[in-house]
Amino acid sequence: MNATSTPADERIAELRGEIDACDAELIRLVQRRLAVSQEIGQLRRDSGGTRLSLAREQQVIARFQDALGADGAALGMMLLRQGRGRL
Ligand SMILES: C=C(O[C@@H]1C=C(C(=O)O)C=C[C@H]1O)C(=O)O
Protein backbone atom coordinates (compact mmCIF):
# COMPACT_ATOMS: atom_id res chain seq x y z
CA MET A 1 0.00 0.00 0.00
CA ASN A 2 1.42 3.45 -0.85
CA ALA A 3 0.92 6.61 1.24
CA THR A 4 -2.34 7.65 -0.40
CA SER A 5 -4.18 4.38 -0.93
CA THR A 6 -6.41 2.98 1.80
CA PRO A 7 -7.07 -0.70 2.54
CA ALA A 8 -10.39 -0.27 0.74
CA ASP A 9 -8.56 1.05 -2.35
CA GLU A 10 -6.28 -1.97 -2.28
CA ARG A 11 -9.18 -4.38 -1.97
CA ILE A 12 -11.10 -2.65 -4.76
CA ALA A 13 -8.10 -2.95 -7.07
CA GLU A 14 -7.84 -6.63 -6.21
CA LEU A 15 -11.56 -7.23 -6.79
CA ARG A 16 -11.42 -5.34 -10.09
CA GLY A 17 -8.78 -7.81 -11.17
CA GLU A 18 -11.30 -10.57 -10.45
CA ILE A 19 -13.97 -8.76 -12.45
CA ASP A 20 -11.56 -8.34 -15.36
CA ALA A 21 -10.82 -12.08 -15.26
CA CYS A 22 -14.56 -12.86 -15.19
CA ASP A 23 -15.19 -10.55 -18.14
CA ALA A 24 -12.36 -12.10 -20.16
CA GLU A 25 -13.81 -15.55 -19.50
CA LEU A 26 -17.33 -14.41 -20.40
CA ILE A 27 -16.08 -12.93 -23.67
CA ARG A 28 -14.28 -16.17 -24.50
CA LEU A 29 -17.40 -18.20 -23.70
CA VAL A 30 -19.66 -15.93 -25.74
CA GLN A 31 -17.32 -16.28 -28.71
CA ARG A 32 -17.23 -20.06 -28.28
CA ARG A 33 -21.00 -20.22 -27.96
CA LEU A 34 -21.40 -18.21 -31.16
CA ALA A 35 -19.07 -20.53 -33.09
CA VAL A 36 -20.94 -23.63 -31.86
CA SER A 37 -24.33 -22.09 -32.61
CA GLN A 38 -23.26 -21.16 -36.14
CA GLU A 39 -21.95 -24.67 -36.77
CA ILE A 40 -25.28 -26.17 -35.69
CA GLY A 41 -27.15 -23.73 -37.92
CA GLN A 42 -24.96 -24.64 -40.89
CA LEU A 43 -25.45 -28.39 -40.29
CA ARG A 44 -29.21 -27.94 -40.08
CA ARG A 45 -29.37 -25.89 -43.26
CA ASP A 46 -27.06 -28.28 -45.14
CA SER A 47 -29.43 -31.12 -44.28
CA GLY A 48 -32.47 -29.19 -45.47
CA GLY A 49 -33.71 -28.03 -42.10
CA THR A 50 -34.65 -24.63 -40.81
CA ARG A 51 -32.07 -22.12 -39.74
CA LEU A 52 -33.66 -21.58 -36.32
CA SER A 53 -35.33 -23.83 -33.80
CA LEU A 54 -37.83 -21.79 -31.82
CA ALA A 55 -38.60 -24.65 -29.41
CA ARG A 56 -34.92 -24.93 -28.57
CA GLU A 57 -34.63 -21.15 -28.21
CA GLN A 58 -37.45 -21.20 -25.67
CA GLN A 59 -35.54 -23.81 -23.66
CA VAL A 60 -32.41 -21.65 -23.73
CA ILE A 61 -34.27 -18.53 -22.61
CA ALA A 62 -36.08 -20.45 -19.86
CA ARG A 63 -32.75 -21.67 -18.52
CA PHE A 64 -31.40 -18.11 -18.30
CA GLN A 65 -34.67 -16.87 -16.82
CA ASP A 66 -34.69 -19.60 -14.15
CA ALA A 67 -31.09 -18.90 -13.14
CA LEU A 68 -31.01 -15.11 -13.41
CA GLY A 69 -34.56 -13.77 -13.64
CA ALA A 70 -35.79 -11.19 -16.14
CA ASP A 71 -32.32 -9.83 -16.90
CA GLY A 72 -31.20 -13.41 -17.49
CA ALA A 73 -33.93 -13.88 -20.07
CA ALA A 74 -32.79 -10.66 -21.77
CA LEU A 75 -29.21 -11.93 -21.73
CA GLY A 76 -30.31 -15.23 -23.27
CA MET A 77 -32.14 -13.34 -26.02
CA MET A 78 -29.05 -11.28 -26.77
CA LEU A 79 -26.98 -14.44 -27.12
CA LEU A 80 -29.54 -15.96 -29.45
CA ARG A 81 -29.69 -12.79 -31.51
CA GLN A 82 -25.93 -12.77 -31.83
CA GLY A 83 -26.01 -16.21 -33.44
CA ARG A 84 -28.73 -15.31 -35.90
CA GLY A 85 -26.87 -12.70 -37.90
CA ARG A 86 -29.02 -11.29 -40.70
CA LEU A 87 -32.42 -12.96 -40.89
C1 LIG B 1 -27.76 -23.69 -32.04
C2 LIG B 1 -28.96 -24.02 -32.51
O1 LIG B 1 -29.59 -23.29 -33.53
C3 LIG B 1 -30.18 -22.02 -33.27
C4 LIG B 1 -29.43 -21.28 -32.25
C5 LIG B 1 -29.67 -21.49 -30.91
C6 LIG B 1 -28.71 -21.00 -29.88
O2 LIG B 1 -27.88 -20.15 -30.20
O3 LIG B 1 -28.79 -21.48 -28.73
C7 LIG B 1 -30.83 -22.16 -30.52
C8 LIG B 1 -31.75 -22.58 -31.42
C9 LIG B 1 -31.62 -22.31 -32.86
O4 LIG B 1 -32.46 -21.23 -33.22
C10 LIG B 1 -29.69 -25.20 -32.00
O5 LIG B 1 -30.70 -25.61 -32.61
O6 LIG B 1 -29.29 -25.76 -30.97
Side-chain angles (χ1 to χ4, degrees):
M1 187 175 25
N2 66 38
T4 55
S5 71
T6 66
D9 291 332
E10 297 285 318
R11 183 66 180 138
I12 286 168
E14 186 178 75
L15 291 170
R16 283 183 175 165
E18 273 190 53
I19 286 178
D20 290 346
C22 287
D23 288 349
E25 202 172 333
L26 285 166
I27 289 166
R28 187 182 58 75
L29 287 170
V30 168
Q31 289 170 334
R32 179 173 152 215
R33 189 190 193 288
L34 175 61
V36 172
S37 175
Q38 288 176 333
E39 187 172 346
I40 291 173
Q42 189 65 51
L43 283 167
R44 206 174 21 241
R45 264 173 290 152
D46 289 350
S47 55
T50 58
R51 180 164 167 194
L52 303 178
S53 165
L54 296 183
R56 170 67 180 167
E57 292 196 357
Q58 281 169 357
Q59 290 174 356
V60 170
I61 291 169
R63 183 165 58 217
F64 276 91
Q65 164 94 47
D66 290 349
L68 302 168
D71 283 348
L75 180 58
M77 282 189 257
M78 287 172 67
L79 291 170
L80 292 172
R81 195 176 65 209
Q82 191 194 32
R84 285 178 177 179
R86 283 192 55 199
L87 288 177

